[in-house]
Amino acid sequence: MKRKLEISELIFKIISYTLLTIFALCCLYPFLYAISASISGRHAVEYNEVVLFPKDIQFEAFSTMFNDNMFWNSYTNTLFLTFYGTIWALGISLFGAYALSKKRLLFRKGFNFFLVFTMWFSAGLVPQYLNYLDTQRVFKSVGITDDKWLVVIAMGMAAMNIILLRNSFEGVPSEIEEAAIVDGATEMQVLWRVYVPMSKSIIATVALFFGISRWNGYFWARQMISNANERPLQVFIRLKLEQFSDPEQMTNWSEPYASDSIIYALIVCSIVPILIIYPFIQKYFAKGVNVGGVKE
C-alpha cells in the first residue's frame, strides 16, 4: 500500500511539473516573441517568419522610438501616474483598513457592508464618467489644470485591497496596541509604528497591485486626459497602433523595419520596469495574499 502511494505521488508530481512547465512557457512565449519581432527585419515580420528567434536583426525600431520626444513624454507621465497614484491609493487604503479593523468604530458593520457592496454592484460606466467630469470641473475651478492629478485622485479607491489590509490588521494582537497606547502612542503612531511594520508583506502586495494597475491604466487615462502631452505610455501605444493600422498612412512606409516592430518595441519598454521591480516584491506576494485573504 505504501509503495502504491509513493508511485501515485510520483506520477502526480511528474504531471504537475509538466503542466506547470508548459503553462510557464506559454506565459513566457509572448514576451520572447515581442522582443524578437521588435529587432527583426521588415520582411521577416510582415511575412510571419519570426517564430521564436529574431531574423535579420536590426535596432532601427528602438532607435526611432528613443528619438521620439512623445515617447519619453508619455513614459514620464506613466511614471508620474504610477508613483503618485500608488502612494495616494495606498495611503487611503491604509487609513481605511485601520479604521475598519477597529471594533470600537461606530457603525463599523455598516461601513464594511457598503465597502463590500461596491464589489457586488457598481453605478455603471456612464455615472462614473459623469462623476469624473464633475470632479474635473472642480479641479479646474481651483486652478488644477493638469488632468493627471484627476486620474491619480479618482483611482484612489479599491475595495478589495482595503479588505486585504483590514483582514491583516485584524490579525495584529490587541495586546501590542494596548501596550503602545499605555506608552503614550497616538492613533497615528500606533498605525505607523505597530500595524505597518507588522504588515509589511500585505502592504508590499497591495502596493504591487496598485502599481501594476496604474502602470497599465489605459481607459480612464484616455477618456479624462485631453492634453496629448499628459497622456501615459499605454495611451501612446494605442494611438500608435491606430496610426499604423490606417492604410492611408502606411502607403509610403519605406523603413527597414515593419510598423509592428515599433509596437513591439514599445510593449517591451513598457514591460521592463515591472519585470525589474517584481522580483524584489515577489517574496512578499504569496505571504501577503495569504495573510490578508484569510480572516481568523
Side-chain angles (χ1 to χ4, degrees):
M1 180 63 109
K2 183 178 180 181
R3 183 172 179 81
K4 288 182 179 180
L5 289 174
E6 291 177 352
I7 294 175
S8 62
E9 184 177 354
L10 178 62
I11 294 174
F12 174 78
K13 288 183 177 179
I14 292 174
I15 295 175
S16 299
Y17 291 152
T18 302
L19 293 176
L20 288 174
T21 302
I22 295 173
F23 179 75
L25 292 175
C26 290
C27 294
L28 185 62
Y29 176 75
F31 180 66
L32 296 177
Y33 177 81
I35 296 176
S36 298
S38 65
I39 60 176
S40 294
R42 177 177 179 178
H43 182 274
V45 175
E46 290 182 347
Y47 288 89
N48 298 322
E49 296 178 0
V50 179
V51 179
L52 180 60
F53 299 104
K55 292 186 176 182
D56 304 328
I57 296 178
Q58 51 77 34
F59 295 95
E60 281 81 1
F62 280 97
S63 177
T64 301
M65 181 184 64
F66 289 151
N67 290 327
D68 189 347
N69 292 330
M70 288 301 296
F71 165 74
W72 292 111
N73 195 31
S74 63
Y75 216 100
T76 303
N77 293 331
T78 300
L79 291 173
F80 176 92
L81 293 172
T82 302
F83 180 75
Y84 289 105
T86 301
I87 292 177
W88 170 256
L90 186 60
I92 290 179
S93 299
L94 284 173
F95 290 126
Y98 177 74
L100 293 174
S101 66
K102 300 302 173 188
K103 295 181 179 180
R104 64 179 181 271
L105 176 67
L106 193 62
F107 306 120
R108 175 176 178 266
K109 291 184 179 180
F111 288 134
N112 280 303
F113 171 76
F114 285 118
L115 180 67
V116 177
F117 186 82
T118 60
M119 299 173 60
W120 299 335
F121 304 99
S122 63
L125 192 63
V126 174
Q128 189 174 2
Y129 177 69
L130 295 176
N131 186 28
Y132 290 161
L133 284 181
D134 291 337
T135 306
Q136 189 177 43
R137 295 190 192 97
V138 173
F139 276 26
K140 291 183 178 180
S141 66
V142 297
I144 302 176
T145 58
D146 192 341
D147 290 332
K148 295 196 300 293
W149 283 111
L150 171 64
V151 177
V152 167
I153 296 176
M155 299 287 106
M157 175 64 180
M160 183 62 191
N161 292 335
I162 293 177
I163 292 173
L164 289 176
L165 287 170
R166 183 202 65 190
N167 291 346
S168 176
F169 288 169
E170 288 178 347
V172 175
S174 59
E175 292 79 8
I176 299 178
E177 179 183 358
E178 292 172 358
I181 293 175
V182 170
D183 290 338
T186 61
E187 290 286 351
M188 187 66 69
Q189 290 174 330
V190 170
L191 172 61
W192 290 109
R193 296 187 180 183
V194 176
Y195 282 84
V196 171
M198 297 186 67
S199 306
K200 289 182 179 179
S201 298
I202 185 61
I203 292 175
T205 302
V206 169
L208 178 64
F209 289 160
F210 280 128
I212 293 177
S213 175
R214 301 303 176 270
W215 184 268
N216 293 328
Y218 161 74
F219 180 77
W220 288 114
R222 181 165 186 176
Q223 296 298 322
M224 302 309 302
I225 299 178
S226 56
N227 190 343
N229 293 323
E230 297 177 3
R231 289 170 176 165
L233 182 62
Q234 306 303 333
V235 177
F236 178 75
I237 294 175
R238 178 61 186 178
L239 293 176
K240 280 291 185 183
L241 183 61
E242 293 175 356
Q243 175 187 343
F244 293 147
S245 299
D246 188 355
E248 295 182 359
Q249 298 189 26
M250 301 304 297
T251 53
N252 298 323
W253 186 265
S254 59
E255 301 294 341
Y257 54 86
S259 59
D260 288 345
S261 296
I262 286 283
I263 301 299
Y264 286 121
L266 288 169
I267 292 173
V268 171
C269 290
S270 68
I271 295 175
V272 167
I274 300 298
L275 293 179
I276 294 174
I277 295 174
Y278 186 79
F280 297 99
I281 305 179
Q282 184 182 10
K283 61 182 179 180
Y284 300 109
F285 186 77
K287 183 180 178 182
V289 172
N290 289 333
V291 171
V294 178
K295 181 177 179 181
E296 296 182 358

